[in-house]
Amino acid sequence: MIKLNTHYADLKESYLFYNIAQKTKAYLEENPDQHLYRMGIGDVSLPLCGAVIEALREAVEDQGKKESFHGYMPECGAPVLRQTVAEYYGKRGVTISDQEVFVSSGASDELGDILDLFCPESNALVIEPAYPAYVDANIMEGRKIIHLASSKENGFLPEPDENLKADLIYLCSPNNPTGAVFSREQLQKWVDYANQKGAIILFDAAYEAFIEEPDLPHSIFELDGARTCAIEICSLSKTAGFTGTRLGYTIIPKELERGGLNINSMWVRNRTTKTNGVSYILQKGGAAVFTPRGQQEVRANIQVYKKNAAVLMEALDQCGIWYCGGKNAPYIWMQCPKGMGSWEFFDYLLREIQVVGTPGEGFGACGEGYFRFSTFGSPEDTKEAARRLCTLLGGK
Ligand SMILES: Cc1ncc(COP(=O)(O)O)c(C=O)c1O
């Protein structure tokens, strides 16, 4: 009889979004006239921008004409999009060649697929609270997880510890769920650590477009030595509203090698074996994000989310509540007031002011006592939620 991958039995049930859905459903059944202010889920609410829609339409038309029809696309990405992404990095002073850019169907897919490159005996270090997929994707392959707890004391941005024997290191900056962003100095310490230990950093840059402070790194490749220890995974999901459209890109430098094997070449081999590329239509739509018009339009959408963040941060400031994030990230990570637990605070907000957020405990044990607000909701709902929050928590 076939033997299954029994590591699936090692996965813990994820109750976070299920519980949120159950609790909000039950509340609405009891209070059918109430409107809920949903600031829990990290999905965007604004539609794709005009430049992208036009490009997608054109691409559909192209596919209907013999002279512009495209069949299979190159597995690692359309040359024009690979070049465009390389130029996007170039504008920030980071030299990347088109051969180091791999077009993907999104960061989630890539975060799972890339694990093919690492043997199950290697371990994975995950800084918690964390995006839950980092842990689960490794458990499915039997990899041991090193949970590195972060805290308010280190601004949820811990430093590498000499005693940790990490092989694969997940860094997410700007961070989901905490919204914290590594400074250059902090990130450099991780790069140096990885080079010294022969580890590899998987740098999740899904929220880089939300960084507004000029000194913060958008890419790990802005740091010295990153080309010999890092893979960067990025996505157009939050940058350009592609959550339901699906497109991302991964950067693997040519210099990245371990044990005599070249990781860029391994990934080319992986993609050419396991995929037939991302659809022409989506790649044409994605390329439009990087045109001057596309950049202007996606930045305008990001500004809407940033205004939501500002409104919420102002409310929390007025209430004297500690939080991080918001400024350079679409998430605000607040400490629950009066020593409340994450789920206790969730219930309190739902019951008293009909505001829905995400309990921090769902992102790892050290998230207990914290709460995440997403700023991807509508400005009207966010304003009203902030007003209610302020009144409830004793702001001025
Ligand atoms: C940190 C982080 N990485 C990756 C993803 C997944 O992005 P994608 O939509 O490109 O799969 C998300 C989505 O919320 C995320 O928060």
Side-chain angles (χ1 to χ4, degrees):
M1 190 172 70
I2 191 165
K3 284 194 180 151
L4 296 183
N5 178 352
T6 53
H7 296 302
Y8 278 69
D10 302 331
L11 292 165
K12 287 207 189 90
E13 283 299 336
S14 171
Y15 294 113
L16 179 61
F17 291 106
Y18 176 78
N19 272 354
I20 293 175
Q22 290 298 104
K23 279 174 181 276
T24 50
K25 186 167 163 263
Y27 180 83
L28 284 176
E29 274 165 12
E30 274 174 38
N31 305 277
D33 301 331
Q34 290 284 9
H35 171 74
L36 292 186
Y37 299 88
R38 293 180 191 270
M39 300 200 294
I41 310 263
D43 198 355
V44 294
S45 57
L46 292 170
L48 293 172
C49 69
V52 169
I53 291 296
E54 248 173 52
L56 288 171
R57 283 208 180 104
E58 263 176 40
V60 170
E61 290 298 324
D62 290 348
Q63 292 297 72
K65 288 182 265 172
K66 196 168 186 337
E67 57 283 12
S68 53
F69 169 76
H70 287 76
Y72 286 126
M73 296 298 287
E75 294 89 343
C76 299
V80 60
L81 182 53
R82 297 179 87 185
Q83 184 58 38
T84 301
V85 173
E87 284 165 14
Y88 177 68
Y89 276 78
K91 284 186 191 134
R92 213 177 286 124
V94 178
T95 307
I96 297 283
S97 93
D98 57 346
Q99 298 301 303
E100 295 172 327
V101 177
F102 295 84
V103 176
S104 76
S105 299
S108 270
D109 311 47
E110 205 77 340
L111 283 162
D113 292 353
I114 204 106
L115 295 179
D116 276 3
L117 300 178
F118 310 105
C119 81
E121 289 75 41
S122 52
N123 63 49
L125 180 142
V126 177
I127 297 175
E128 291 184 344
Y131 181 58
Y134 300 158
V135 171
D136 287 353
N138 280 289
I139 289 184
M140 283 175 187
E141 299 191 1
R143 226 166 263 117
K144 190 174 151 257
I145 309 288
I146 302 177
H147 300 268
L148 177 60
S150 63
S151 64
K152 182 180 167 184
E153 284 63 45
N154 56 29
F156 290 96
L157 296 166
E159 288 190 0
D161 175 340
E162 271 306 308
N163 302 319
L164 294 170
K165 302 270 175 285
D167 298 323
L168 203 55
I169 299 170
Y170 284 81
L171 298 181
C172 177
S173 178
N175 189 273
N176 178 12
T178 67
V181 187
F182 281 114
S183 69
R184 270 171 217 284
E185 295 69 32
Q186 290 167 323
L187 197 51
Q188 189 67 57
K189 286 187 185 161
W190 281 103
V191 168
D192 294 345
Y193 170 88
N195 275 322
Q196 203 182 60
K197 304 284 180 194
I200 286 187
I201 295 173
L202 286 183
F203 189 75
D204 186 338
Y207 298 100
E208 66 82 16
F210 289 79
I211 294 178
E212 62 182 52
E213 285 177 88
D215 291 340
L216 295 173
H218 288 241
S219 162
I220 196 162
F221 299 115
E222 292 177 39
L223 281 299
D224 289 338
R227 291 183 60 86
T228 52
C229 69
I231 293 174
E232 182 157 297
I233 294 184
C234 204
S235 162
L236 294 186
S237 280
K238 310 300 162 81
T239 303
F242 270 61
T243 51
T245 306
R246 313 303 302 146
L247 204 73
Y249 49 90
T250 297
I251 312 295
I252 308 184
K254 290 265 188 181
E255 289 95 314
L256 190 58
E257 294 188 344
R258 290 292 179 269
L261 291 173
N262 183 282
I263 296 179
N264 180 293
S265 307
M266 284 170 76
W267 195 236
V268 171
R269 190 61 207 257
N270 181 294
R271 295 293 83 183
T272 51
T273 305
K274 292 196 168 185
T275 78
N276 269 327
V278 177
S279 102
Y280 164 73
I281 296 170
L282 297 186
Q283 294 198 64
K284 188 155 177 173
V289 169
F290 299 94
T291 59
R293 177 182 165 201
Q295 282 293 296
Q296 203 187 3
E297 290 177 347
V298 299
R299 304 264 162 220
N301 283 356
I302 288 174
Q303 280 313 311
V304 173
Y305 301 137
K306 283 192 160 288
K307 281 201 188 116
N308 286 344
V311 166
L312 276 167
M313 288 192 291
E314 198 190 324
L316 295 176
D317 284 339
Q318 283 190 20
C319 302
I321 285 183
W322 185 91
Y323 64 89
C324 60
K327 190 159 176 56
N328 300 292
Y331 299 112
I332 293 172
W333 179 253
M334 64 168 280
Q335 188 162 29
C336 301
K338 302 182 192 125
M340 277 192 216
S342 300
W343 282 106
E344 189 186 355
F345 189 57
F346 175 93
D347 291 333
Y348 180 59
L349 291 190
L350 179 60
R351 188 178 65 239
E352 299 297 329
I353 57 171
Q354 295 74 53
V355 168
V356 180
T358 311
E361 186 256 1
F363 300 99
C366 62
E368 175 58 313
Y370 292 87
F371 203 73
R372 187 193 78 171
F373 283 123
S374 151
T375 64
F376 286 119
S378 79
E380 297 72 33
D381 273 12
T382 306
K383 265 187 211 134
E384 179 57 17
R387 191 191 65 75
R388 291 176 175 219
L389 201 59
C390 204
T391 310
L392 183 73
L393 303 182
K396 285 158 231 145

